Amino acid sequence: MTPQLISKHPNMGTTIFTVMSGLAAEAGAVNLGQGFPDFECDPALVNAVTQAMQDGLNQYPLMPGAMPLREAVSKKIESLYGYHYDAQTEITITAGATQALITIMLAVVHPGDEVIVLEPCYDCYVPNVEMAGGVVVRVPLTPGTFKPDFDKIQAAISSKTRAILINSPHNPSGMVWRHEDMLKLQEILTPTNILLISDEVYEHMVYEPLQHHSASSYPGLAQRAFVVSSFGKSYHVTGWKVGTVAAPASMTTEFRKVHQFNVFTVNTPVQFGLARYMSDPKPYLDLPKFYQRKRDFFRQGLSATKFKLLPGEGTYFQCADISSLSVPEKDLGEAEFCKWLTREIGVAAIPMSAFYGDAFDQNVIRFCFAKKDSTLQAAIERLAKL
């Protein structure tokens, strides 16, 4: 007989992204739920990876990552944000941002340590803290604007606070932290030993007139921060699962102690291909304009509907308030509305309530516009019924 397991995580279910993508496939709906492009990446990137394979770069690379890629990442950060990370001791290549985040938690969070998480938040944050034995302290972002409430953040800090996790540009809302926000966070953290975990996977998706403010740009934050980014997001290759962590040498040492035993290292030819591709900064420098056009196309298409569109400052997500729609299903609540929208209207979206521990409902849902124009147009035509 198969041994009976006692679950270590009895409250941990299937992610909302898996649920809604499955429902979209079942219903034949346009999937604007899960955040991935439905278009191809630059052929030059595929060629660079193919060339690396053909050149025989198919065995284990160094545990922290291929040195050419770490050097390219260090150069990019210094060019954009003015802070130098040593490629040898302060940059690590990870199997995507998700692996980066759980590795950070396992490396620095001790049982009973508190980690401040700002809600709504990406769904892996809370389980990562809990799997490391930490205690999640949930602090809400301001409803409606999703801006940080520093009074509440300050009030949440205790003698047990080990780290605070921030995300800008913000998934799911698309909100972007301002320069003054980063300065305020730096002021709050300066007299403490609290670590900062800065999830910046959408760093190259910030739209005019705003700009991305990396924790790397602020010395008082950089000296205590793990800064996480993602090639999958920046280069339209989410399935490659390659990310980065930049952190001071002493913090990187602890990070790598865990990294070497939960993944060891990352796909070799992809790393060398990415390093070659990064020699030209144009693809990530042009990314904001690329996605801003898609955002504007999608927003314009919904302008004649009764969806109330929230500001789309960054990421490739557009949030919409459903409270003014004329259909009675708007009163079902976000989660049930999204299921109805998928089955009956043929467009999959994600409820904002899925990003809160208490399923806080604001009548807001999230669409992903990282899609072909034809895909967005098909969704727009279906949503026009509402």
Side-chain angles (χ1 to χ4, degrees):
M1 293 179 62
T2 301
Q4 184 176 359
L5 297 179
I6 299 174
S7 177
K8 291 180 67 177
H9 310 287
N11 298 320
M12 196 179 297
T14 304
T15 73
I16 187 65
F17 310 107
T18 300
V19 171
M20 295 308 300
S21 287
L23 187 58
E26 177 186 312
V30 178
N31 189 358
L32 302 189
Q34 195 168 1
F36 61 87
D38 69 346
F39 47 83
E40 296 301 321
C41 68
D42 185 349
L45 177 54
V46 175
N47 292 340
V49 174
T50 301
Q51 187 62 55
M53 292 181 182
Q54 293 173 341
D55 289 344
L57 297 168
N58 298 304
Q59 307 309 322
Y60 293 128
L62 295 171
M63 178 272 286
M67 183 53 75
L69 184 55
R70 283 187 278 155
E71 290 173 340
V73 171
S74 175
K75 181 180 177 181
K76 186 198 84 166
I77 294 174
E78 187 166 11
S79 173
L80 294 179
Y81 309 127
Y83 191 87
H84 176 73
Y85 289 96
D86 182 83
Q88 179 68 38
T89 61
E90 298 183 318
I91 302 285
T92 308
I93 308 302
T94 63
T98 301
Q99 183 252 320
L101 289 165
I102 182 60
T103 302
I104 292 167
M105 296 302 176
L106 292 173
V108 304
V109 175
H110 298 259
D113 283 351
E114 295 179 352
V115 179
I116 295 173
V117 173
L118 308 181
E119 286 192 317
C121 65
Y122 187 58
D123 68 344
C124 82
Y125 293 177
V126 168
N128 284 354
V129 175
E130 293 176 341
M131 284 190 284
V135 176
V136 177
V137 177
R138 303 172 188 267
V139 175
L141 295 166
T142 304
T145 66
F146 302 100
K147 294 184 180 299
D149 185 327
F150 289 105
D151 288 338
K152 290 183 178 179
I153 291 172
Q154 182 80 69
I157 292 175
S158 76
S159 60
K160 295 182 179 180
T161 304
R162 178 63 168 163
I164 178 171
L165 202 165
I166 68 170
N167 174 212
S168 179
H170 181 246
N171 177 16
S173 74
M175 182 273 299
V176 172
W177 281 45
R178 307 312 202 251
H179 173 59
E180 55 268 27
D181 295 327
M182 301 301 286
L183 288 177
K184 183 62 177 178
L185 181 64
Q186 182 173 250
E187 176 189 331
I188 289 173
L189 296 183
T190 293
T192 77
N193 289 316
I194 296 170
L195 298 172
L196 173 63
I197 304 163
S198 186
D199 180 352
E200 303 181 17
V201 298
Y202 298 101
E203 61 178 314
H204 300 304
M205 300 174 208
V206 177
Y207 309 124
E208 294 180 344
L210 302 177
Q211 66 183 74
H212 176 56
H213 297 287
S214 174
S216 302
S217 297
Y218 301 85
L221 296 178
Q223 67 185 3
R224 69 177 69 237
F226 291 98
V227 180
V228 179
S229 191
S230 164
F231 293 108
K233 300 296 190 297
S234 299
Y235 291 145
H236 319 308
V237 286
T238 59
W240 289 9
K241 297 297 293 178
V242 183
T244 66
V245 172
S250 61
M251 293 166 58
T252 295
T253 296
E254 294 304 309
F255 175 86
R256 290 177 180 176
K257 288 179 182 178
V258 177
H259 173 79
Q260 68 182 333
F261 291 119
N262 72 1
V263 72
F264 180 60
T265 193
V266 179
N267 187 301
T268 302
V270 166
Q271 289 196 60
F272 281 97
L274 284 166
R276 179 178 299 181
Y277 190 71
M278 284 186 73
S279 64
D280 180 7
K282 192 172 187 296
Y284 59 78
L285 293 179
D286 287 350
L287 199 63
K289 290 182 180 178
F290 173 82
Y291 272 125
Q292 186 165 344
R293 190 195 66 77
K294 287 191 174 293
R295 181 203 65 175
D296 293 347
F297 178 81
F298 187 58
R299 288 176 65 91
Q300 179 61 35
L302 293 184
S303 63
T305 72
K306 293 184 179 180
F307 284 106
K308 181 182 177 183
L309 302 180
L310 278 62
E313 298 177 344
T315 75
Y316 47 45
F317 301 117
Q318 175 62 58
C319 291
D321 189 315
I322 63 174
S323 57
S324 296
L325 297 179
S326 56
V327 295
E329 287 81 6
K330 69 180 175 62
D331 297 322
L332 291 172
E334 295 168 3
E336 289 304 312
F337 176 85
C338 283
K339 292 177 182 177
W340 172 83
L341 188 72
T342 304
R343 293 192 185 103
E344 302 301 327
I345 304 302
V347 179
I350 300 292
M352 184 69 78
S353 57
F355 299 92
Y356 286 90
D358 62 358
F360 177 51
D361 198 305
Q362 303 168 81
N363 294 315
V364 173
I365 64 175
R366 190 200 77 176
F367 297 105
C368 173
F369 57 79
K371 308 295 177 184
K372 299 173 185 173
D373 286 359
S374 58
T375 303
L376 294 175
Q377 185 59 43
I380 289 166
E381 290 172 1
R382 297 182 185 191
L383 294 170
K385 303 172 185 177
L386 302 177

